Amino acid sequence: MIRSLFAASALMLTGAVALADDHGDATSNMICVEAGTEAPSISAITASGDAVDLSGITGENGAVLVFSRSLDWCPYCKAQALELETVKADLAAEGWTLNLISYDSPEILAGFAEEKALTYTLLSDTDSATIDAFGLRNTEMPAGSRFDGVPHPAIVYIKADGEVAGVQKEEGYKTRPPTEGIPQLVSLINQGAPSAP
């Protein structure tokens, strides 16, 4: 477990561009932010209706930003959202905040958070501007469809100074990076693990 965690962190912190070949599961040509670069600006609305930017969602040491397809209709995203609650306290102890962003409306996010008793920050990006800024929009979704604007699932680690410390993603939409590894990766980042070559 520890060995695989360190292997995963080494891959995450290399600074390589995140690319995916065509696997027939809507992940072709995915390009997202790189570790070691400055995070794009964030413009989003919390589930409670407050406008926030990156500084508004960042803890003393950084922010974990989870890109989720939808908490309205995606069962894999809903399951991940519930799992994330289990690591919120560990991240807070490391000086990091936990945030999930999707193209869902604030009302949908608020309803899900209330129903499931989630206590971390849920962010609405209804026009997918932040999703686009991070290079995570799934461009294979038909324009104008219900799914237009969804991101590829990813977890982006952003230091308090705005540097992207790492990116985790899966090639398919049905799997997610292991939730239990998020606090350990944050701890490695706090210890000065290199974010880029």
Side-chain angles (χ1 to χ4, degrees):
M1 172 66 179
I2 296 298
R3 177 176 290 178
S4 63
L5 175 64
F6 277 93
S9 66
L11 290 173
M12 180 194 75
L13 299 170
T14 61
V17 179
L19 294 171
D21 296 326
D22 187 358
H23 295 276
D25 58 0
T27 62
S28 64
N29 302 321
M30 179 165 64
I31 301 175
C32 62
V33 293
E34 297 180 36
T37 62
E38 184 175 350
S41 60
I42 291 174
S43 177
I45 306 295
T46 66
S48 57
D50 299 319
V52 292
D53 58 13
L54 181 57
S55 64
I57 63 166
T58 303
E60 179 183 355
N61 292 322
V64 174
L65 187 58
V66 179
F67 285 84
S68 180
R69 286 161 28 107
S70 176
L71 297 185
D72 183 29
W73 51 263
C74 175
Y76 308 102
C77 304
K78 292 178 180 182
Q80 180 188 35
L82 297 180
E83 288 181 10
L84 288 169
E85 183 69 31
T86 66
V87 298
K88 180 198 170 190
D90 291 335
L91 293 176
E94 293 282 353
W96 287 62
T97 59
L98 177 61
N99 310 271
L100 181 146
I101 188 166
S102 76
Y103 80 156
D104 296 319
S105 69
E107 294 78 17
I108 288 173
L109 296 178
F112 187 83
E114 181 177 1
E115 177 186 351
K116 303 301 183 182
L118 300 182
T119 61
Y120 60 90
T121 303
L122 300 182
L123 300 170
S124 171
D125 183 25
T126 55
D127 60 1
S128 300
T130 298
I131 292 166
D132 286 337
F134 278 75
L136 286 167
R137 182 192 284 251
N138 186 331
T139 58
E140 295 187 2
M141 295 300 180
S145 74
R146 175 186 188 190
F147 310 109
D148 186 17
V150 300
H152 291 285
I155 303 174
V156 181
Y157 298 76
I158 306 170
K159 296 179 184 178
D161 64 4
E163 179 187 354
V164 176
V167 179
Q168 287 182 300
K169 65 175 188 65
E170 298 289 346
E171 292 179 349
Y173 67 87
K174 295 181 179 181
T175 58
R176 302 291 186 274
T179 299
E180 64 272 14
I182 296 173
Q184 288 99 331
L185 292 172
V186 162
S187 179
L188 288 174
I189 293 168
N190 281 352
Q191 294 169 35
S195 58

